[in-house]
Amino acid sequence: MTLAAGRPYLAIPGPSVIPDRVLRAMHRGSPNIYEGPLIDMVAGLMPDLRQLAGTTGHVAIYIGNGHAGWEAANANLFSRGEKALVLATGQFGLSWANSARSMGVEVEVLDFGKSSPVDMGRVEAALRADARHEIKAVLTTHVDTASSIKTDIAALRAAMDAAGHPALLAVDCIASLGCDEFRMDDWGADVMVSACQKGLMTPPGLAFVWFSESARLRCGRSDLATPYWAWGPRAEPEEFWQYWDGTAPTSHLYGLREALDMIREEGLPQVWHRHRTLAGAVWAAFDAWGAGNPAIALNVADPAHRGCSVTAARFGAPHATRLREWCETKAGVTLGIGLGMAPSTDPAYHGFLRVGHMGHVNAHMTLGALAVMEAGLVALDIPHGPGALSAAARMVAEGA
Ligand SMILES: *Cc1c(COP(=O)(O)O)cnc(C)c1O
């Protein structure tokens, strides 16, 4: 038997749940792309995108996913043969490093493993060791979606300053923008990359690169920036088509407009608070389950280093896969696979899963997903400690 009929819930770390308002806003015929309302609407997106990132700098929009955002940042930051220092705290830093390397950038990786935050002392030492200042930029994820580790961007900037190194700081906020607090200017980030399908609640298809005036000045001669990727005309177009280097992604732009309206109506600090509270509920449930079974544990031990949009956890193989399958087929809740923790051919792979809680998600969705997981643990006879749901409910009660 199954109880899955009804509205399904995709609780994976992106793409996230798309609000009905966003879907309705996208459902329209092609607008005029030469004059009229679309042109005015797009001009109005730019201040909202800047505010979302916490910057007075520039923003360029690309038709693409997060990988396209990485390539856009790489193409503008570097010339062939210039050097990047990449900080890896899971999977996505390593993937950004691969993307830069394949474009001809020389890449040095500092890998902090799958469960530990960036060691700022190692970053400072690596920058001090670069006495000739060959490293042009430090690339890092804000929240690595595979491990759910969050990097303290202000502390990273302080480490770079302590080393007296002039490298630019570029941050991937694809999993965190619109979920976790981020302040590009206050924290000293020069470049920030994001995409629309996670905290921004819009179907995959738009990537964004924010960049400071000093990044613009220092990267003006990058020889990787072909016309399509060059951020300059996109940020300061003389004609409308230059925003996109071609035809505008019309439906996506109307969806994004609606999503930004929803964030503004709720208020960005409130959006951060909602994510922090719901993450706290998820963590409390895992702590209670794990108290009765040491195989169940959050991937990141210290809450201060956990992102608020996604939670990576262990269940002991093969129980993570069994639980995911039960939740999807019996109750209509799809949980995320474990990413980058073990190869999919390794039996250990079936011991990892992730819960997404990003974007259009509220207390009943998160508590519902946790209750379904609890039902699955019971149905599958997976040992677990008691009290997870009341612990999660308490977090919601305190945060509401
Ligand atoms: C999702 C994600 C990406 C990749 O985005 P795609 O749209 O899948 O290309 C990169 N970095 C982070 C932190 C992500 O969460």
Side-chain angles (χ1 to χ4, degrees), residues 13 28 32 55 59 78 120 138 175 186 207 225 243 308 332 336 351 357 377 389:
R28 62 175 75 210
N32 187 348
T55 185
V59 56
F78 301 106
M120 299 302 168
V138 174
D186 290 352
Y243 275 120
C308 292
H357 31 91
L377 291 171
L389 298 181

Side-chain angles (χ1 to χ4, degrees), residues 39-336:
I39 282 75
D40 298 338
M41 188 274 277
V42 166
L45 287 174
M46 301 302 160
D48 290 2
L49 286 171
R50 279 193 203 96
Q51 195 185 12
L52 188 66
T55 185
T56 57
H58 309 280
V59 56
I61 308 180
Y62 296 84
I63 299 173
N65 57 17
H67 284 67
W70 284 336
E71 293 207 11
N74 299 339
N76 288 284
L77 276 166
F78 301 106
S79 287
R80 244 172 231 92
E82 286 188 329
K83 189 165 174 186
L85 178 66
V86 181
L87 315 183
T89 51
Q91 179 58 46
F92 287 86
L94 298 174
S95 301
W96 195 357
N98 285 341
S99 144
R101 207 178 281 116
S102 74
M103 292 170 76
V105 178
E106 194 191 323
V107 175
E108 177 183 342
V109 175
L110 290 181
D111 192 342
F112 302 95
K114 305 289 182 195
S115 303
S116 304
V118 169
D119 176 344
M120 299 302 168
R122 274 181 67 194
V123 177
E124 188 180 329
L127 291 172
R128 281 187 194 281
D130 179 35
R132 296 195 355 231
H133 292 172
E134 287 175 349
I135 295 168
K136 174 98 173 280
V138 174
L139 313 184
T140 189
T141 52
H142 184 216
V143 173
D144 188 297
T145 323
S147 64
S148 58
I149 292 167
K150 179 157 68 184
T151 297
D152 183 338
I153 301 301
L156 176 57
R157 166 50 71 189
M160 294 171 67
D161 291 347
H165 198 290
L168 295 162
L169 173 55
V171 185
D172 168 349
C173 290
I174 294 170
S176 56
L177 192 70
C179 307
D180 261 292
E181 181 172 358
F182 183 79
R183 300 180 187 276
M184 179 167 161
D185 290 355
D186 290 352
W187 294 354
D190 298 287
V191 171
M192 192 270 276
V193 178
S194 197
C196 68
Q197 78 271 24
K198 292 177 180 173
L200 304 190
M201 309 178 285
T202 302
L206 298 177
F208 311 91
V209 179
W210 289 258
F211 54 102
S212 65
E213 179 62 11
S214 70
R216 185 183 77 80
L217 293 171
R218 283 178 56 190
C219 299
R221 278 195 290 276
S222 166
D223 69 10
L224 289 173
T226 54
Y228 187 81
W229 294 111
W231 60 23
R234 287 177 185 260
E236 287 171 306
E238 283 166 16
E239 296 183 45
F240 186 72
W241 66 271
Q242 292 177 305
Y243 275 120
W244 334 99
D245 199 38
T247 304
T250 53
S251 293
H252 272 77
L253 293 170
Y254 282 106
L256 178 68
R257 176 65 273 165
E258 195 70 22
L260 294 176
D261 284 347
M262 290 175 69
I263 290 172
R264 192 179 49 201
E265 287 163 19
E266 184 179 356
L268 196 51
Q270 171 59 37
V271 169
W272 295 333
H273 172 76
R274 172 166 53 83
H275 282 86
R276 210 163 39 237
T277 302
L278 298 180
V282 173
W283 303 341
F286 273 87
D287 286 345
W289 290 328
N293 177 357
I296 302 179
L298 293 169
N299 183 50
V300 185
D302 182 348
H305 300 305
R306 292 179 196 150
C308 292
S309 54
V310 53
T311 296
R314 276 179 280 270
F315 262 92
H319 295 320
T321 297
R322 290 177 71 221
L323 184 63
R324 277 197 303 104
E325 286 171 0
W326 192 93
C327 291
E328 182 162 46
T329 57
K330 301 293 189 182
V333 174
T334 302
L335 301 171

